[in-house]
Structure formats: structure tokens, C-alpha cells
Amino acid sequence: LEITEVIYDVDGADDGKERVVIRNSGSGELVIDGYSIQYLGPTGDFSKTAKKNFESGNIIPAGGTFIVGMSCSSSNPCDGVNMSWSQTLGNESGTIYIVSDQVKLGGVDSASIVTSFIY
């Protein structure tokens, strides 16, 4: 797995427009319903890490992508995404982690980190 794109600080309001694009570069489909996506803001304080578990049935096909819509709400839904999350991304920096379990990260040395994207 790799995070290929993080869309943040879009023109105008960010609500419903932020995205994290995850790519499965493997030759087989990947079931990710036991994984989580986690966001660490610019402070680097892991006690403030936000986490969302991938949902039952979430699969990324071989060579395919999975799009997580960020900053989504009922008033500003994320259209055209595979999963929505209400977490807003920092407009200047942050780190996105894909984690192979659903335990909140305590630091960058966790063996469960599959990939990360610093922006």
C-alpha cells in the first residue's frame, strides 16, 4: 500500500473536498477492514492522533485505489469516495498513516505502520 495523494487546503472552504488516495500496488486484492487510517497534526503530539477504522468489506483491488474523503459531514458530504471521515486536515502540514490494526498509534516506531505520507 502507498498513499499517493493528499488533497488539503483547497480553494475556498475545505469541507467535503479534502482527500487521501491510497493505492494497492500489489498483484492481488487487499482486504483492509482490519486496518485504520490515522492523522497526526503539525504539532507531532501522538496523544492527539485522530483515527478512523476502515469498515467491514473495504477492499482495494490489485492496482486499484481507495479514496478517503476528509472533512465530510451531512451538510458537506464527500462525493465519489470509498469512505468518509469527518477529520479535517491541517492546511499547512500533517502526516497520514495507514496502520495494519485498529490501535491508536503511540509513535513513529510502531511496527503496525504500513505506510505514511508527510505533507
Side-chain angles (χ1 to χ4, degrees):
L1 282 180
E2 62 181 323
I3 299 170
T4 59
E5 185 176 20
V6 175
I7 301 169
Y8 65 100
D9 195 22
V10 295
D11 290 337
D14 293 350
D15 295 343
K17 297 177 186 173
E18 297 179 331
R19 302 282 186 270
V20 175
V21 180
I22 305 162
R23 184 171 187 277
N24 174 4
S25 55
S27 59
E29 75 177 16
L30 184 60
V31 177
I32 58 170
D33 60 7
Y35 288 36
S36 60
I37 181 171
Q38 301 191 32
Y39 168 70
L40 177 64
T43 66
D45 181 353
F46 273 89
S47 70
K48 296 180 181 177
T49 301
K51 176 182 74 72
K52 177 153 176 86
N53 297 336
F54 287 99
E55 300 163 356
S56 178
N58 283 163
I59 296 171
I60 307 176
T65 58
F66 189 96
I67 301 171
V68 179
M70 306 296 293
S71 192
C72 306
S73 67
S74 57
S75 60
N76 289 299
C78 291
D79 296 323
V81 301
N82 300 99
M83 183 174 80
S84 295
W85 188 11
S86 61
Q87 177 64 47
T88 299
L89 299 174
N91 284 342
E92 295 176 13
S93 66
T95 306
I96 305 292
Y97 295 94
I98 303 300
V99 180
S100 63
D101 59 32
Q102 297 182 340
V103 177
K104 193 172 181 180
L105 289 173
V108 295
D109 57 349
S110 173
S112 62
I113 295 173
V114 176
T115 189
S116 63
F117 190 101
I118 300 169
Y119 68 93

